[in-house]
């Protein structure tokens, strides 16, 4: 068919132009140029379609629609679409989020409308472990300085910090950060569909399943017009990544677009240095950098609102992020109590006799424990009179009371005077 | 397998047949009487598969499974690019290793202290849920490894860390001090690197080439957590 061959030559050029224009169809049409039916379709692309071409056209539209409609949330491939990143993309997004630039929209430039969930999850996991590990390390280092502190592996603190860090995880201030940011962003845009879900996350009662629940909405949201559509995943993506900043360490790979808690992995290492003002300084620096990243990313989205609303929203975002940062720093959440200059929470405290009972790790020894330490202090509820020097009000000492000749604090109760 | 189209006009002909050929002759057809002897060259092999494993002694069963587990241990200790762990996966080895590790890591005290080492259940849960999470991650990234194969590989690659735990416990019986700690640190680091290398050798091929690092990083984190638990273990 000479005519078809002639057409084939022309069609190829036109078809390549078409391919250049419609990127989505490139891979689907590329191998269909040879059959003449498709050649005819390509020629008549703008106008009418022949009877024989309707099948091809319907296939094409069906394919496009299939690309637009995501699989249902009960299928595995739905979740696979959230992990569709390469190593180079992930590293690129980390770099982009670590160095926020004012005119450089992170969402557009790095995310390119394809957020992922690899980053939020693994950054948070890494942050939880880093908190636990550095908390443990701080304890060891402090024990070396002050041998009266008992060392223990502190396993449950790590567990707690891990639980708190999961976005929307159980309880605590931390989880409120990302959830509340999402809530604010969504409400600001007026997309109420999943507002309640986000509020539930902000309350800290729903864990990662909340992410999955929010996915259907987000997924639909991703294809709605406007910048607000990305806001669902944006805070989730944004938040862990900002945590990367500020420590001076390389940090774990943060998947795209998550300025957020990944910034906080870094100060953990600097917080090992037992100088209080340095710790607060590094924490403030990390907070400033990550908050800057968040603000730069969110500003193009919220500036369309009234000035007051935009400023209010951004200030709440920064405040919640600051809560997260201080939550890492403040003792009891895997932070470094010992960096606060006290002897550590393991020290007995006469101010709170009930607390002192739990202030011992009882049967754990510290890392270089001498063999002669007793393994079990008694756990009586009486207040302890401790022989070693402590900050705070000094306890009355019996005259002639001798400091026991062992390393480490025993906190044996002194016999009461005259009783 | 019972529908032999070609068969069996004369089951008595003793022609050399491929494996399982005898099974294809077991078709009950109305017009072809099936009788006579079926002689198949690989007869002994067929007989072995014919007899169910219910009839063998318990010792046979246990020894067979133990040998399979031991063979896989060897593959982990000397990691080569082989498919044995993936092809014949089983979860006995990971269970044995996890239980051993958890028994050694638990703190022996019974008082309700808040911050000591992990309990048995905590180690168990960490190992298994960590392995499940990593498997899910690698599948979501597009790996073509099955769920249980990945669990099998991750579980078997805990073997070096279990050996490290044993060594650490022995070392802790000696005089404590900085040298003690250095020895333990060295042993744990070496075994940690060994675990990573072993698991990467088995798992890396199943990932798309541009996502290998994304799949290996959670493995790194997983073994790091276990190594940390081993290193910070303090006896009572």
């Amino acid at each position: 068919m000479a005519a078809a061959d002639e057409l084939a030559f022309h069609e190829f050029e036109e078809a390549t132009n078409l391919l250049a224009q419609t990127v989505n169809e490139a891979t689907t049409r590329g191998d269909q140029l040879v059959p003449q039916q498709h050649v005819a379709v390509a020629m008549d692309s703008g106008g009418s379609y022949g009877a024989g071409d309707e099948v091809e056209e319907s296939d094409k539209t069906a394919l496009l629609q299939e690309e637009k409609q995501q699989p249902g949330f009960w299928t595995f491939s739905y979740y696979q679409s959230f992990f569709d990143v390469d190593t180079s993309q992930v590293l690129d997004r980390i770099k982009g989020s670590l160095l926020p630039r004012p005119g450089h929209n992170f969402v557009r430039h790095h995310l390119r409308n394809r957020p992922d969930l690899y980053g939020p999850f693994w950054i948070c996991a890494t942050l939880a472990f880093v908190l636990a590990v550095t908390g443990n390390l701080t304890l060891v280092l402090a024990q070396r300085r002050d041998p009266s502190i008992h060392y223990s592996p502190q396993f449950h603190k790590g567990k707690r910090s891990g639980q708190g860090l999961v976005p929307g995880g159980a309880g605590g201030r931390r989880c409120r950060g990302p959830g509340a940011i999402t809530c604010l962003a969504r409400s600001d845009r007026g997309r109420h569909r999943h507002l309640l879900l986000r509020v539930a996350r902000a309350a800290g009662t729903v864990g990662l399943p909340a992410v999955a629940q929010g996915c259907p909405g987000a997924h639909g949201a991703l294809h709605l017009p406007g910048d607000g559509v990305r806001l669902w995943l944006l805070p989730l993506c944004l938040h862990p990544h900002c945590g990367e900043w500020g420590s001076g360490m390389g940090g774990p790979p943060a998947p795209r677009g998550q300025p957020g808690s990944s910034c906080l992995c870094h100060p953990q290492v600097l917080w090992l240095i037992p100088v209080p003002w340095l710790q607060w300084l590094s924490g403030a620096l990390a907070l400033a950098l990550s908050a800057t990243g968040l603000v730069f990313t969110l500003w193009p989205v919220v500036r369309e609102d009234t000035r007051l609303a935009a400023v209010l929203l951004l200030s709440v975002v920064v405040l919640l992020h600051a809560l997260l940062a201080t939550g890492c720093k403040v003792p009891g959440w895997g932070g470094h109590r010992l960096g606060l200059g006290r002897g550590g929470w393991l020290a007995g405290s006469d101010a709170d006799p009930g607390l002192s009972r739990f202030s011992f790790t009882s049967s754990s020894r510290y890392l270089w424990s001498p063999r002669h330490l007793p393994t079990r202090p008694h756990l009586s509820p009486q207040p302890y009179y401790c022989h070693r020097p402590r900050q705070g009000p000094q306890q009355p000492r019996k005259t002639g009371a001798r400091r026991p000749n062992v390393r480490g604090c025993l906190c044996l109760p002194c016999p009461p005077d005259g009783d | 397998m019972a529908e032999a189209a070609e068969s069996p006009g004369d089951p008595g002909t003793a022609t050399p047949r491929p494996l399982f050929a005898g099974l294809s002759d077991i078709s009950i057809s109305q017009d072809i009487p099936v009788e006579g002897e079926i002689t198949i060259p690989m007869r002994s092999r067929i007989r072995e598969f014919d007899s169910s494993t219910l009839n063998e002694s318990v010792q046979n069963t246990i020894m067979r499974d133990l040998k399979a587990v031991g063979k896989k241990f060897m593959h982990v200790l000397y990691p080569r690019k082989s498919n044995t762990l993936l092809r014949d996966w089983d979860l006995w080895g990971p269970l044995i290793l996890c239980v051993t590790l958890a028994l050694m890591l638990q703190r022996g005290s019974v008082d309700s202290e808040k911050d000591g080492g992990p309990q048995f259940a905590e180690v168990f849960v960490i190992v298994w849920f960590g392995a499940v999470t990593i498997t899910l991650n690698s599948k979501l990234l597009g790996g073509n490894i099955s769920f249980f194969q990945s669990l099998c590989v991750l579980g078997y690659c805990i073997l070096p860390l279990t050996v490290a735990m044993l060594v650490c416990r022995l070392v802790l019986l000696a005089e404590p001090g900085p040298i003690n700690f250095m020895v333990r640190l060295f042993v744990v680091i070496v075994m940690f690197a060994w675990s990573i290398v072993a698991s990467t050798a088995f798992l890396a091929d199943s990932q798309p080439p541009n996502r290998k690092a994304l799949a290996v990083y959670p493995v790194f984190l997983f073994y790091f957590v276990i190594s940390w638990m081993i290193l910070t273990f303090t006896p009572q």
Side-chain angles (χ1 to χ4, degrees):
Chain A
M1 303 201 23
D5 292 338
E6 223 174 308
L7 279 176
F9 175 73
H10 289 294
E11 291 323 310
F12 190 75
E13 284 182 2
E14 286 187 13
T16 48
N17 291 339
L18 265 180
L19 286 175
Q21 287 165 13
T22 60
V23 183
N24 283 341
E25 306 169 54
T27 55
T28 61
R29 303 291 291 171
D31 55 345
Q32 294 174 356
L33 287 174
V34 178
Q36 296 155 14
Q37 295 158 344
H38 295 267
V39 166
V41 168
M43 197 174 186
D44 294 331
S45 63
S48 61
Y49 298 95
D53 304 326
E54 279 175 9
V55 176
E56 270 68 66
E57 185 55 33
S58 64
D59 283 346
K60 188 172 91 172
T61 49
L63 194 60
L64 284 177
Q65 280 166 6
E66 190 184 319
E67 286 172 358
K68 282 206 169 18
Q69 292 167 3
Q70 298 295 324
F73 65 92
W74 55 90
T75 59
F76 189 70
S77 52
Y78 177 80
Y79 298 103
Q80 237 173 348
S81 63
F82 287 115
F83 282 78
D84 194 15
V85 276
D86 295 339
T87 311
S88 56
Q89 285 176 348
V90 166
L91 291 175
D92 178 52
R93 287 165 192 204
I94 297 168
K95 276 186 251 163
S97 68
L98 283 180
L99 303 166
R101 279 156 49 181
H104 199 70
N105 192 351
F106 182 82
V107 172
R108 281 211 185 85
H109 190 79
H110 291 276
L111 285 192
R112 290 184 198 209
N113 219 2
R114 296 180 64 188
D116 70 324
L117 280 181
Y118 180 88
F121 182 74
W122 286 112
I123 288 183
C124 290
T126 310
L127 182 58
F129 293 137
V130 165
L131 280 176
V133 163
T134 51
N136 212 349
L137 273 179
T138 311
L139 190 53
V140 168
L141 290 177
Q143 188 270 329
R144 289 202 67 185
R145 277 182 295 121
D146 182 9
S148 58
I149 300 165
H150 280 285
Y151 166 78
S152 74
Q154 304 265 316
F155 180 74
H156 293 98
K157 257 190 180 173
K159 211 167 65 167
R160 243 185 298 160
S161 74
Q163 286 169 359
L165 268 184
V166 170
R173 286 173 295 178
R174 290 179 166 169
C175 41
R176 294 208 185 105
I181 291 174
T182 317
C183 167
L184 287 169
R186 291 294 297 234
S187 63
D188 185 57
R189 283 285 140 185
R191 311 229 180 253
H192 306 291
R193 195 182 342 169
H194 291 273
L195 186 59
L196 288 177
L197 270 176
R198 302 285 76 78
V199 170
R201 280 179 59 207
T205 53
V206 188
L208 273 179
V211 174
Q213 287 169 23
C215 277
H219 219 78
L222 281 174
H223 294 280
L224 291 170
D227 274 339
V229 302
R230 283 189 291 264
L231 280 181
W232 181 86
L233 271 184
L234 193 67
L236 188 60
C237 289
L238 281 182
H239 202 87
H241 201 78
C242 254
E244 283 270 349
W245 224 143
S247 75
M249 196 170 89
R256 46 179 159 182
Q258 304 181 348
S261 60
S262 54
C263 286
L264 298 165
C265 289
H266 297 225
Q268 298 298 322
V269 178
L270 287 184
W271 286 342
L272 288 178
I273 305 170
V275 178
W277 63 267
L278 188 65
Q279 291 176 349
W280 283 108
L281 183 67
S282 65
L285 202 66
L287 174 64
L289 284 161
S290 62
T292 314
L294 272 176
V295 165
F296 283 158
T297 313
L298 287 177
W299 178 247
V301 178
V302 301
R303 72 176 158 212
E304 297 155 23
D305 283 330
T306 62
R307 195 113 187 135
L308 179 65
V311 166
L312 201 64
L313 184 66
L314 285 180
S315 57
V316 172
V317 165
V318 171
L319 183 68
L320 287 171
H321 198 66
L323 273 182
L324 178 62
T326 51
C328 292
K329 182 75 180 68
V330 164
W333 281 100
H336 309 288
R337 281 184 170 261
L338 309 171
L340 288 186
R342 297 169 52 190
W345 70 291
L346 293 177
S349 162
D350 276 40
D352 189 358
L355 198 58
S356 63
R357 179 171 21 170
F358 296 103
S359 69
F360 279 104
T361 54
S362 68
S363 46
S364 305
R365 299 182 186 178
Y366 50 91
L367 215 52
W368 291 280
S369 64
R371 292 231 153 227
H372 53 268
L373 258 191
T375 55
R376 283 175 183 272
H378 29 279
L379 299 173
S380 63
Q382 314 166 18
Y384 293 142
Y385 289 91
C386 197
H387 291 282
R388 64 167 177 78
R390 253 198 351 250
Q391 299 172 7
Q394 291 297 322
Q395 296 307 313
R397 236 184 242 203
K398 254 175 46 172
T399 54
R402 202 170 47 83
R403 187 180 294 231
N405 190 18
V406 290
R407 288 170 64 196
C409 174
L410 300 180
C411 278
L412 297 170
C414 295
D417 288 328
D419 288 342
Chain B
M1 263 197 278
E3 37 231 345
E6 73 274 12
S7 71
D10 189 356
T13 55
T15 54
R17 301 244 192 139
L19 196 61
F20 294 114
L23 291 174
S24 70
D25 287 340
I26 310 173
S27 73
I28 311 298
S29 165
Q30 297 295 334
D31 42 3
I32 302 176
V34 177
E35 56 184 342
E37 287 214 16
I38 303 174
T39 56
I40 297 153
M42 318 271 270
R43 193 167 185 173
S44 57
R45 195 101 182 247
I46 297 289
R47 188 171 285 162
E48 184 182 318
F49 279 107
D50 274 343
S51 67
S52 71
T53 56
L54 280 177
N55 291 334
E56 64 182 12
S57 66
V58 173
Q59 184 188 2
N60 274 358
T61 311
I62 293 181
M63 288 313 296
R64 188 176 62 236
D65 285 335
L66 277 180
K67 275 192 201 135
V69 169
K71 201 164 129 198
K72 293 199 190 71
F73 278 174
M74 285 300 127
H75 277 278
V76 170
L77 286 178
Y78 302 106
R80 288 183 302 272
K81 290 233 179 244
S82 78
N83 276 347
T84 311
L85 248 72
L86 294 177
R87 206 174 46 225
D88 308 321
W89 61 268
D90 72 275
L91 292 179
W92 281 116
L95 181 68
I96 293 172
L97 288 172
C98 180
V99 167
T100 312
L101 193 65
L103 277 174
M104 287 197 285
L105 267 178
Q106 66 168 350
R107 42 174 211 263
S109 66
V110 294
D111 41 327
S112 60
E113 58 185 76
K114 291 282 183 174
D115 281 310
Q119 292 282 13
F120 178 91
E122 285 162 355
V123 177
F124 206 83
V125 161
I126 282 179
V127 168
W128 285 104
F129 275 95
V132 165
T133 307
I134 295 173
T135 307
L136 276 178
N137 177 68
S138 92
K139 284 189 80 72
L140 283 168
L141 283 172
N144 59 357
I145 193 173
S146 91
F147 184 75
F148 288 109
Q149 280 174 346
S150 173
L151 278 187
C152 169
V153 167
L154 288 168
Y156 270 105
C157 291
I158 295 181
L159 176 67
L161 288 171
T162 311
V163 170
M165 183 72 218
L166 279 167
V167 171
C168 280
R169 279 212 92 139
L170 291 174
V171 167
L172 277 170
L173 292 175
E175 185 65 33
I179 302 181
N180 194 320
F181 178 70
M182 285 301 155
V183 167
R184 282 189 291 136
L185 182 69
F186 176 72
V187 166
V188 169
I189 286 180
V190 165
M191 291 302 177
F192 168 65
W194 201 333
S195 285
I196 300 268
V197 166
S199 63
T200 309
F202 293 115
L203 284 179
D205 287 337
S206 68
Q207 292 294 323
N210 50 351
R211 295 181 187 183
K212 281 195 171 46
L214 294 185
V216 167
Y217 172 72
V219 177
F220 170 87
L221 206 58
F222 175 62
Y223 288 130
F224 183 80
V225 169
I226 298 183
S227 312
W228 186 258
M229 285 199 295
I230 292 174
L231 188 60
T232 59
F233 173 75
T234 52
Q236 302 309 320

